[in-house]
Amino acid sequence: MSYIKSKKKLEQGGIDRVYFLHGTQTFLMEDITQQVIAKAAVEQENVITYSLLDTPLELAVEEAETFPFFGGKKIVIVQDFFFVTSQKPEGKIEHDLSRLERYLTSPLPESILLLVSPYEKLDERKKITKALKEHAAVVDCAPFDAKMTEEWLEDQAREKGFQFSGRGKEHLLERVGPQLLLLASEIEKLALYVGENGQVDEDVVALLVARSLEQDVFALLDLAVKQQAHEALLLYHDLLKKKEEPLKLLVLIARQLRIYYQVKELTRRAYSQKQMAAQLKLHPYVVKLASQQAGRFEDRQLLTLLKQCADTDYAIKSGKVDKVLGVELLLLKLASASIQHA
């Protein structure tokens, strides 16, 4: 079950006895955990957390099998649940996995067991993986694709009592990127500003939300690609005033151009954006933005610009050109390449 579906089920009062949370988005895992605690109305003294890196699994299961000392319900959280992967953590602690397998078939009604597996891939062949899929509420906490990110933003807005305009939501993603933890922080700020039943549009986002460095670099390239060389140079000098290092900006520019080239190549091979994201190990939203820009360049132009990035890097480091001027010239070449293609 996806994170979003799991959260909706919790909001409607549906609480399972065993949860298996897996994936690399620890923010989502923590959010589901806190939702379970809140919906089950469990007192903090009845929330017990273990890590399998320093505690045998059977001790955690024994805790789940024990009636809550203070009455009500008990939540047992098991962190670093690595049995569903091919990973073998360091340490000599032995675990009795059969104890958990027996518990899954008949969990204590007064306990809620959360097994947290912050790993990218599951080993589907393992017996315990199959048992969890059969007996537990499985919550996929993998990175969102673009559609799920937008759906999550809408859910967050509803929870906070405001609405996004279409462009407001897009502009927030453009400024912050797909990092959910940062987005959640910005949503809190936006909600306070617009108030109950308010609307967050592009102007509100521009007023309150600062771009990340990666998004600034994307905006820098976007301006150059759109032949707005003057605006691109103004943004570049704004970044310099913020003490950003020209060589660091150069590296990020080269990275973005490399993504454009890779996206063009994978598009020719009929890869979907989701497949591209998996292949390049990028968030789908990053691939979506790159796909929109990559078509403005021919392959040879991108390869030429990448070579110019390398030449600029060498010229700066060898003292042949000033670093500020070197990146300025590169931005002008980028705008020129876009003009030629247009």
Side-chain angles (χ1 to χ4, degrees), residues 184-200:
S185 175
E186 295 298 342
I187 285 171
E188 291 281 354
K189 184 166 54 176
L190 292 168
L192 288 172
Y193 182 81
V194 299
E196 189 76 18
N197 298 321
Q199 185 180 66
V200 172

Side-chain angles (χ1 to χ4, degrees), residues 12-280:
Q12 294 165 2
I15 302 176
D16 292 276
R17 295 182 187 176
V18 181
Y19 287 87
F20 171 47
L21 315 179
H22 69 92
T24 56
Q25 297 297 300
T26 55
F27 170 78
L28 299 182
M29 293 178 174
E30 180 62 23
D31 189 48
I32 288 290
T33 299
Q34 294 304 317
Q35 285 285 320
V36 171
I37 293 171
K39 292 299 179 182
V42 175
E43 298 294 335
Q44 199 58 46
E45 57 265 28
N46 277 344
V47 178
I48 303 99
T49 302
Y50 296 94
S51 169
L52 295 187
L53 300 182
D54 54 31
T55 305
L57 174 63
E58 55 269 26
L59 288 184
V61 176
E62 182 179 341
E63 184 69 59
E65 292 172 334
T66 306
F67 286 92
F69 182 76
F70 297 98
K73 281 191 177 290
K74 172 196 290 186
I75 291 181
V76 179
I77 304 168
V78 180
Q79 301 282 3
D80 308 303
F81 189 79
F82 58 85
F83 299 106
V84 292
T85 73
S86 57
Q87 293 189 217
K88 294 182 179 179
E90 297 179 1
K92 297 182 179 180
I93 297 174
E94 294 187 5
H95 301 274
D96 182 3
L97 191 54
S98 64
R99 184 78 175 269
L100 174 62
E101 291 169 349
R102 291 194 298 271
Y103 180 81
L104 289 175
T105 61
S106 184
L108 189 72
E110 288 76 16
S111 293
I112 300 173
L113 178 63
L114 288 93
L115 305 169
V116 182
S117 182
Y119 308 106
E120 186 174 1
K121 292 183 179 179
L122 299 180
D123 190 336
E124 303 285 353
R125 301 165 298 175
K126 290 194 172 184
K127 181 182 176 182
I128 186 60
T129 306
K130 296 174 182 176
L132 286 167
K133 289 194 170 184
E134 181 180 355
H135 298 292
V138 180
V139 184
D140 185 355
C141 296
F144 289 165
D145 59 21
K147 181 179 178 181
M148 288 180 67
T149 301
E150 293 190 10
E151 187 177 344
W152 178 81
L153 285 173
E154 292 290 351
D155 285 344
Q156 292 291 304
R158 276 194 294 272
E159 283 184 18
K160 305 298 181 186
F162 71 88
Q163 293 181 341
F164 277 110
S165 71
R167 185 55 191 151
K169 185 168 52 180
E170 290 178 10
H171 198 48
L172 178 62
L173 283 167
E174 288 169 2
R175 291 229 158 186
V176 180
Q179 300 95 330
L180 297 183
L181 185 58
L182 291 177
L183 284 170
S185 175
E186 295 298 342
I187 285 171
E188 291 281 354
K189 184 166 54 176
L190 292 168
L192 288 172
Y193 182 81
V194 299
E196 189 76 18
N197 298 321
Q199 185 180 66
V200 172
D201 57 19
E202 184 175 4
D203 291 339
V204 172
V205 172
L207 177 66
L208 296 180
V209 180
R211 281 192 298 249
S212 66
L213 177 58
E214 287 76 12
Q215 294 305 308
D216 272 327
V217 169
F218 184 88
L220 195 63
L221 282 173
D222 186 51
L223 288 170
V225 164
K226 292 176 179 176
Q227 306 168 21
Q228 298 173 356
H230 177 68
E231 290 79 0
L233 291 177
L234 287 176
L235 176 55
Y236 171 55
H237 282 277
D238 282 342
L239 291 172
L240 295 179
K241 290 176 185 176
K242 295 177 183 177
K243 307 299 182 185
E244 295 296 348
E245 175 58 42
L247 279 172
K248 183 178 181 180
L249 296 175
L250 177 59
V251 168
L252 291 173
I253 289 170
R255 176 181 178 271
Q256 193 65 43
L257 290 170
R258 190 159 50 248
I259 291 172
Y260 289 171
Y261 183 81
Q262 291 168 326
V263 165
K264 282 177 68 68
E265 178 60 30
L266 292 177
T267 299
R268 274 195 296 271
R269 299 183 191 180
Y271 276 58
S272 68
Q273 289 187 7
K274 184 176 181 180
Q275 290 171 324
M276 290 183 202
Q279 179 75 17
L280 301 176

Side-chain angles (χ1 to χ4, degrees), residues 256-325:
Q256 193 65 43
L257 290 170
R258 190 159 50 248
I259 291 172
Y260 289 171
Y261 183 81
Q262 291 168 326
V263 165
K264 282 177 68 68
E265 178 60 30
L266 292 177
T267 299
R268 274 195 296 271
R269 299 183 191 180
Y271 276 58
S272 68
Q273 289 187 7
K274 184 176 181 180
Q275 290 171 324
M276 290 183 202
Q279 179 75 17
L280 301 176
K281 299 189 184 303
L282 296 170
H283 191 280
Y285 187 75
V286 174
V287 172
K288 177 184 175 181
L289 293 178
S291 297
Q292 295 170 354
Q293 298 288 28
R296 295 176 178 269
F297 297 96
E298 295 177 359
D299 290 357
R300 60 179 179 78
Q301 291 173 317
L302 287 171
L303 290 173
T304 297
L305 288 167
L306 281 167
K307 182 179 182 301
Q308 289 172 342
C309 285
D311 291 343
T312 300
D313 182 73
Y314 176 78
I316 291 172
K317 290 178 178 176
S318 61
K320 294 181 179 179
V321 67
D322 174 74
K323 58 186 179 182
V324 173
L325 177 60

